[in-house]
């Protein structure tokens, strides 16, 4: 279908905010367009101005914003008529008639975007009430139809449910239903899948694609994820720091990325086809120097023997019952019989979606939580230590030998301490050296993470997320640990910074002979970091294998579903929606040999070469292969 | 929902028990008992002390038993509507009190309604016109309301009523209706007098509530679901009414818990200054003459009033908020 | 812009690559202003933020002035606390004048002539323009013992020799209301501070234990707090104040009253401490310190206390006015302090009846410092609360 006009034309858009420290130019001379029925993706990292642009299109910018330029909208329902959205009065009748009806938006946070006090149906039907004069019964019928369309199994029931009764994925579906109920010409989707697990993300992307084609609707997709872009977009606009760096068809962008920023971005994303030992190229590479830190380095113990032995860990959480009279619900098994070894010098990846228990495992290893049962043995230089029972000297040894890097770079550094204090605190706690030696050590730590020594007197709030995460890593290696538990160390960071941190972790591992337990929900990141990967689902490890084996020949249906759901920033490897539909992330969709029943419980089946799969005891290993 | 109501009502029991223990401890704290001071007083006046009579009284009211036992007698009595004996008046407490308790309830209730009627529109105005002159003016007035304590406001009003109208305000009804059974005229007279204490008591509560409502509403206005509503094309006014205001209504109702004790406190002290026919003046007299059972029942009554008020607000909230209704109390 | 990323309407999109120079670091660059903020310590940031709250700043200055004034009441007050001027009972406030019959004399007051209004049984005072009484400064006046220790008689301002100076009038015993307000400040202002210090300690200890230990102890504390907060405070104060034996000395009563105020006020602080502790305990940096092997004492001292101290001070500031009001109310009702100890509440008891107020409205003057102090503490508390978390 060829039309002569663009559905949406953003011309020379400039948005600035007046703040105490002078104006901030969020968007500068940005231009982009959306063709009718097509998808334009607006890509950028945090601070690129992409979300502000989408707010400008909807006319919902904060009051402090100054806007220049034009946003032209040509509604296919009224051919030949083009309106400038920016010229309409704020919240006036004209723009309100377009909002929700002709241009609709879905937001990133399905948790907070819906009111908890009104039913889903009420909030969706409201759009109809605003833009049409359908009678109430008709509105309800249409709402239910739409709920069915976005994948609610029982639309009648869903209509009268509240948002807090729904899972994140379902809430996002309800948001989509709300946006699409009036069949808009343009859908603005602001990071629609960022807050979701990867398997849910794939479903939502699929849903959006289907509906977009079915309703012949155009879409302005705002995202930071190049993988999502490659799978959904027709045209792509890349923004950085408020300016358009590169724009073109999806072919141009992925086959021939030209701008150094885009090229840098592409090189910074880990992908599954990396050769062993291939290194990501961070957009902003940091020079590091571990020479001083090494100093008198003790000889690295031979690789390969077991450093940490984890056996049958179980931990249940009792959900808070609603009072003394309420029946308490059965405890939730957060971790259920988890066993694995971590070998000296390796990086063991632990993958799973939110709520699968991976963080609970890490906290048990750090003794921040006490498991209900199970054991953890640490094999240090001076013989084994039972981690869960250690006291006194043994515990002190553990506290130096096992360290942790946290997910949230903001909350992991005390806002009231200078970086120097943060880094010297572990040394003080364990009485390492005198003040002068400690200060020397802190300086060499700063070198090791590539931060300027002048920054030592600064407070954490003066650093970017990536820099803070580096400081967190420096603190973790200050005492010369054997094992570092990295709990989602890069999931709060932009892609370009992510590569920097991953490379830093790799370099430190190599130079200091560290062992990692690397926890992440991102398969590509784990693939880049880990030697072996364990996949967790509902508190259990369902599959554990060396990296290449797990990536190439996954056996467990959950692992396969997880792998199938990862979008690649590569036009040659589009998401296989057929495979996504065929695999299931829910236990009830798995083949029977992977499900427990009354007679037969599950146990890890050895497929050879260190490949284990959780399956029924009596099943032959060959039956498991797909 | 039903489970929540039952649980919520059940939770009142320990609260009231702790309060009663506390109140009893307070009334037991003064050394000696009423009979001793009574006997001492009589002796001082040179009169004969009928020790036998006092001893019978002592027995009758179980003063010969240890305090713990007396506590349970007292508690048991209250459960049956027997609040003990006022030694000062030589009458059972219930008779001494008369309709004072109901008048206290009336003053408190009307004050809360007054507070709401005033605070809700002003709070909304302040929040939606943040940093406007109206907002500043109302905020300042509110702060004054907080800063001027009730009894001072009562004094000021008394002063101005005197120099402007030459009348003395005070009392809850025309004096001729005192002690009369309730009648139409008496009710009218009460209503005529009610507005002064209501304004005095309500000011501080209203001011505080406006401030909290404004802050809460400003919070809600920043919420993502408000943006969602705007993105639907809802008009600003209807957005305000349907989402943030609806949210604030919940806050509003749950706020009773924090203003009710303050209102009752204020009502007591205002009542003393204006000599209203509520519990206030009698409470202070009872305290001064150490007529502890009378004072104790008043304290218990006032605490009971707040506990019930908070209970009602919690139940209303449960009705209004599906998160409580459907999830059984685990809010936040 | 010569080159655009936008093709003509409807045309196929050409591959556009920005030719502007690209700096990958530009997004991390900082202005000098930001640089300054980033090197500032927590305390500095709080101070900057607090300074922006002008009303809070001035309230703070005002309160500092007041509190320094109570150190030198004896010097500031023209009369002593109990000096009676039997010839000047219920005298209305005198005005300070500068010009006498168009002639500049410097600050002075006219002397007063008293007549008895037999009809109303009132004393009526009239200015006597022929009796010019210039004020004296840094002068010898009523002898006093400074803080009850050092003999002295130096005053900032005194009436003329054989003259009188009643800027805010006198009460039923002919005592100067202004002097009494100045002396009353010593009691009224300190009672709030001592009370808050008391409830601060209780709040931190109880709230801290509840937050840190959790479990049954937490549950009990929570319950008790709920109970205490559900009992109307003034009746409870009244009851507690009423049971203080009459035989106690006034100074004992003073501490008794602060004790009562503190005993019932700690609940708010304890709640604040508890919730803040629970929130802070979840912060990764506290967990990090634990995992490093830091001792409990170090975690509390280095991580938790700095984390919530600022909030706590703000909360405490906001509850000072409640204390001052409580004392004022109790004393006003005759249940609080007892003369000869004088507080603003005691002064206000003079103004209890309608007729007194109608005839002698200046007896309501002690109300003004009460209102001002309460306002100031509220503003200051607001400012501190906003500044307590400089990162938000």
């Amino acid at each position: 279908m060829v039309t002569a006009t663009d559905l949406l034309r953003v011309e020379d858009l400039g948005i600035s905010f007046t703040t105490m420290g002078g104006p901030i130019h969020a968007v500068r001379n940005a231009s982009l367009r959306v063709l009718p029925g097509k998808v334009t993706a607006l890509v950028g990292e945090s601070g690129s101005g992409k979300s502000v642009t989408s707010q400008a299109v909807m006319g919902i910018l904060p009051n402090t914003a100054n806007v220049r330029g034009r946003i032209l909208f040509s509604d296919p329902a009224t051919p030949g008529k083009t309106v400038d959205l920016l010229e309409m009065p704020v919240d006036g009748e004209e723009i309100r008639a377009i909002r929700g009806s002709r241009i609709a938006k879905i937001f990133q946070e399905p948790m907070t975007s819906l009111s908890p006090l009104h039913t889903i149906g009420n909030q969706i039907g409201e759009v109809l009430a605003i833009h049409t004069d359908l009678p109430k019964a008709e509105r309800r019928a249409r709402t239910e139809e739409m709920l069915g369309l976005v994948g609610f199994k029982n639309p009648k029931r869903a209509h009268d449910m509240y948002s807090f009764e729904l899972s994140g994925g379902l809430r996002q579906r309800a948001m989509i239903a709300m946006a699409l109920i009036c069949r808009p010409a343009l859908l603005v989707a602001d990071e629609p899948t960022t807050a979701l697990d990867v398997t849910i993300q794939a479903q939502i992307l699929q849903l959006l694609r289907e509906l977009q084609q079915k309703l012949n609707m155009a879409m302005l997709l705002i995202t930071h994820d190049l993988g999502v872009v490659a799978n959904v977009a027709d045209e792509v606009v890349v923004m950085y720091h408020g300016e358009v760096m590169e724009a073109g068809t999806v072919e141009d962008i992925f086959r021939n990325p030209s701008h150094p920023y885009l090229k840098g971005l592409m090189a910074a994303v880990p992908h599954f086809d990396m050769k062993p030992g291939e290194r990501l190229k961070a957009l902003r590479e940091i020079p590091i120097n571990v020479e001083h830190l090494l100093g008198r380095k003790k000889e690295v113990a031979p690789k390969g023997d077991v450093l940490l032995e984890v056996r049958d860990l179980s931990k249940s959480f009792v959900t808070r019952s609603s009072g003394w009279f309420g029946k308490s619900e059965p405890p939730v098994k957060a971790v259920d019989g988890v066993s694995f070894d971590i070998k000296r010098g390796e990086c063991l990846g632990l993958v799973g979606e939110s709520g699968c228990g991976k963080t609970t495992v890490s906290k048990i290893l750090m003794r921040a939580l006490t498991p209900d049962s199970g054991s953890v043995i640490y094999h240090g230089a001076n013989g084994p230590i039972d981690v869960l029972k250690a006291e006194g000297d043994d515990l002190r040894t553990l506290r130096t030998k096992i360290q942790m890097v946290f997910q949230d770079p903001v909350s992991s550094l005390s806002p009231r301490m200078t970086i120097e204090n943060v880094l010297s605190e572990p040394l003080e706690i364990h009485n390492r050296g005198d003040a002068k030696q400690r200060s020397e050590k802190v300086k060499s730590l700063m070198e090791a993470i590539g931060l300027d020594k002048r920054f030592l007197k600064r407070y954490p709030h003066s650093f970017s997320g990536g820099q803070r995460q580096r400081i967190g890593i420096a603190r973790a290696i200050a005492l010369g640990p054997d094992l570092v538990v990295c709990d989602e160390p890069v999931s709060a960071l932009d892609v370009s910074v992510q590569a920097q941190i991953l490379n830093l972790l790799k370099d430190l591992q190599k130079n200091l002979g560290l062992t990692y337990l690397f926890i992440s929900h991102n398969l590509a990141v784990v693939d880049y970091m880990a030697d072996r990967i364990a996949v967790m689902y509902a508190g259990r490890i369902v599959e554990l294998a060396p990296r290449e084996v797990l990536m190439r020949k996954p056996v467990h249906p959950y692992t396969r579903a997880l792998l199938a759901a990862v979008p690649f920033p590569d036009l040659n490897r589009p998401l296989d929606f057929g495979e996504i539909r065929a695999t299931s992330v829910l236990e009830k969709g798995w083949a029977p040999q992977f499900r427990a029943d009354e007679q037969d419980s599950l146990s890890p089946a050895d497929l050879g070469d260190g490949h284990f799969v959780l399956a029924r005891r009596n099943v032959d290993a060959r039956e498991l292969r797909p | 929902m039903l489970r929540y109501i039952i649980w919520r009502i059940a939770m009142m029991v320990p609260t009231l028990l702790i309060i009663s223990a506390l109140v009893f401890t307070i009334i037991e704290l003064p050394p000696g008992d009423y009979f001793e001071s009574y006997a001492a007083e009589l002796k001082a006046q040179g009169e004969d002390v009928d020790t036998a009579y006092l001893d019978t009284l002592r027995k009758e009211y179980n003063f010969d038993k240890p305090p713990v036992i007396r506590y349970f007698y007292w508690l048991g009595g209250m459960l049956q509507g027997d609040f003990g004996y006022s030694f000062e008046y030589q009458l059972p407490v219930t008779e001494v009190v008369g309709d004072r308790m109901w008048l206290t309830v009336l003053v408190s209730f009307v004050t809360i309604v007054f507070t709401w009627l005033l605070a809700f529109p002003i709070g909304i105005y302040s929040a939606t016109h943040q940093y406007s002159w109206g907002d500043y003016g109302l905020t300042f007035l509110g702060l004054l309301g907080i800063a001027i304590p009730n009894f001072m406001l009562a004094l000021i009003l008394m002063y101005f009523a005197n120099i402007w109208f030459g009348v003395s305000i005070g009392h809850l009804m025309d004096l001729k209706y005192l002690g009369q059974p309730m009648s139409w005229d008496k009710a009218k007279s009460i209503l005529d007098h009610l507005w002064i204490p209501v304004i005095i008591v309500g000011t501080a509560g209203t001011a505080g509530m406006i401030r909290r409502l404004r802050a809460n509403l400003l919070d809600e206005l920043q919420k993502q679901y408000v943006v969602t509503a705007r993105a639907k094309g809802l008009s600003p006014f209807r957005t305000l009414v349907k989402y943030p205001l609806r949210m604030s209504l919940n806050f509003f109702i749950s706020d009773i818990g924090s203003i009710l004790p303050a209102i009752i406190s204020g009502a007591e002290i205002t009542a003393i200054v204006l000599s209203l026919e509520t519990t206030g003046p009698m409470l202070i007299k009872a305290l001064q003459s150490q007529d502890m059972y009378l004072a104790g029942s008043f304290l218990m009554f006032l605490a009971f009033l707040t506990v019930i008020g908070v209970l009602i607000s919690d139940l209303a909230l449960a009705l209004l908020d599906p998160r409580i209704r459907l999830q059984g109390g685990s809010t936040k | 812009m010569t080159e655009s990323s936008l093709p003509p309407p409807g045309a196929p999109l050409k591959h556009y690559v920005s030719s502007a120079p690209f700096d990958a670091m530009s997004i991390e660059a900082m202005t000098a202003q930001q640089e300054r903020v980033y090197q500032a310590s927590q305390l500095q940031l709080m101070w900057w933020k607090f300074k922006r709250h002008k009303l809070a700043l001035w309230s703070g200055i005002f309160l500092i002035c007041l509190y320094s004034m109570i150190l030198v009441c004896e010097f500031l007050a023209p009369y002593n606390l109990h000096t009676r001027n039997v010839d000047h009972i219920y005298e209305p406030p005198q005005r300070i004048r500068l010009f006498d019959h168009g002639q500049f004399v410097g600050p002075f007051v006219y002397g007063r002539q008293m007549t008895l209004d037999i009809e109303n049984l009132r004393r009526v005072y009239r200015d006597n323009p022929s009796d010019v009484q210039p004020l004296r400064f840094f002068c010898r006046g009523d002898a006093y013992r400074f803080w009850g220790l050092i003999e002295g008689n130096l005053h900032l301002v005194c009436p003329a020799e054989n003259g009188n100076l009643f800027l805010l009038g006198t009460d039923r015993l002919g005592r100067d209301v202004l002097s009494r307000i100045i002396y009353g400040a010593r009691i009224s202002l300190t009672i709030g501070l001592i009370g808050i210090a008391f409830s601060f300690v209780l709040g931190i200890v109880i709230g801290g234990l509840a937050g840190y230990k959790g479990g049954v102890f937490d549950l009990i504390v929570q319950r008790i707090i709920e109970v205490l907060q559900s009992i109307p405070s003034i009746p409870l104060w009244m009851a507690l104040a009423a049971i203080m034996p009459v035989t106690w000395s006034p100074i004992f009563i003073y501490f008794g009253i602060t004790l009562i105020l503190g005993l019932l006020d700690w609940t708010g602080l304890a709640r604040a401490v508890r919730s803040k502790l629970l929130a802070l305990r979840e912060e990764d940096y506290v967990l990090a310190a634990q995992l490093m092997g830091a001792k409990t004492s170090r975690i509390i001292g280095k991580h938790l206390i700095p984390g919530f101290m600022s909030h706590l001070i703000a909360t405490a500031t906001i509850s000072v006015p409640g204390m001052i009001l409580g004392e004022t109310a109790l004393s006003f009702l005759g249940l609080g302090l007892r003369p000869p100890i004088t507080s603003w509440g005691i002064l206000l008891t003079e103004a209890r009846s309608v007729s007194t107020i109608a005839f002698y409205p200046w007896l309501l003057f002690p109300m003004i410092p009460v209102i001002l102090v309460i306002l100031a503490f509220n503003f200051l508390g607001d400012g501190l609360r906003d500044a307590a978390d400089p990162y938000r």
Side-chain angles (χ1 to χ4, degrees), chain B residues 161-235:
Chain B
N162 197 292
I163 59 167
W164 285 343
F165 311 114
V167 293
S168 96
I169 51 177
H171 298 286
L172 252 188
M173 62 193 88
D174 257 8
L175 293 178
K176 62 181 176 204
Y177 296 114
L178 275 183
Q180 300 281 319
M182 185 53 85
S183 65
W184 187 239
D185 288 335
K186 182 172 174 176
K188 249 172 57 186
S189 167
I190 290 177
L191 284 183
D192 272 350
H193 284 75
L194 197 58
W195 63 274
I196 289 177
V198 164
I199 287 178
I200 292 171
V201 179
T203 331
T206 311
M209 195 172 236
I210 290 173
R211 255 176 124 199
R212 285 189 299 268
L213 181 67
R214 177 175 176 271
N216 176 273
L217 201 53
L218 284 175
D219 261 11
E220 294 293 340
L221 284 171
Q222 305 297 319
K223 291 272 171 74
Q224 179 69 36
Y225 62 78
V226 180
V227 181
T228 311
R230 280 180 74 195
K232 283 184 208 173
L234 205 58
S235 72

Side-chain angles (χ1 to χ4, degrees), chain B residues 128-145:
Chain B
T128 49
H129 297 76
Q130 198 189 2
Y131 303 135
S132 69
W133 284 109
D135 177 32
Y136 281 127
L138 289 168
T139 305
F140 182 72
L141 268 184
L143 273 170
L144 263 188

Side-chain angles (χ1 to χ4, degrees), chain B residues 11 19 22 26 29-30 143 147 149 151-152 155-156 158-159 162 211 261 264-265 269 272-273 284 287 290 299 306, chain C residues 223 227 229-230 232-236 238-239 242-243 325 328-329 332-333 348 351 354 357-358 361 367 370 374 379 382:
Chain B
M11 281 319 281
I19 294 179
L22 193 74
I26 291 174
L29 267 182
L143 273 170
F151 72 95
M152 289 193 196
L155 287 179
I156 295 171
M158 268 159 76
Y159 174 65
N162 197 292
R211 255 176 124 199
I264 290 183
S265 274
I269 194 162
I272 295 169
V273 178
I284 194 169
L287 284 172
Q290 301 220 331
L299 279 183
T306 46
Chain C
R223 232 354 24 138
V227 166
Q229 288 192 338
S230 78
S233 53
I234 288 186
L236 197 57
M238 279 160 51
I243 58 179
L325 274 183
T328 313
F332 175 74
L333 294 175
L348 282 171
V354 187
I357 298 177
M367 209 180 266
V370 176
I374 290 167
F379 287 136
D382 275 357

Side-chain angles (χ1 to χ4, degrees), chain A residues 307-311 313 364-365 367 370-371 373-380 382-399 402:
Chain A
L307 180 67
L308 196 77
E309 212 178 305
V310 178
R311 288 293 171 270
L313 281 190
I364 292 173
L365 300 189
R367 290 231 332 193
T370 315
S373 63
S375 71
V376 180
I377 309 290
Y378 165 79
H379 296 277
N382 309 321
I385 299 176
D386 185 336
V387 172
L388 301 176
K389 297 200 181 73
E391 287 305 332
D393 280 349
D394 280 351
L395 182 58
R396 227 160 292 141
T397 312
L398 281 180
R399 290 296 187 215
I402 308 181

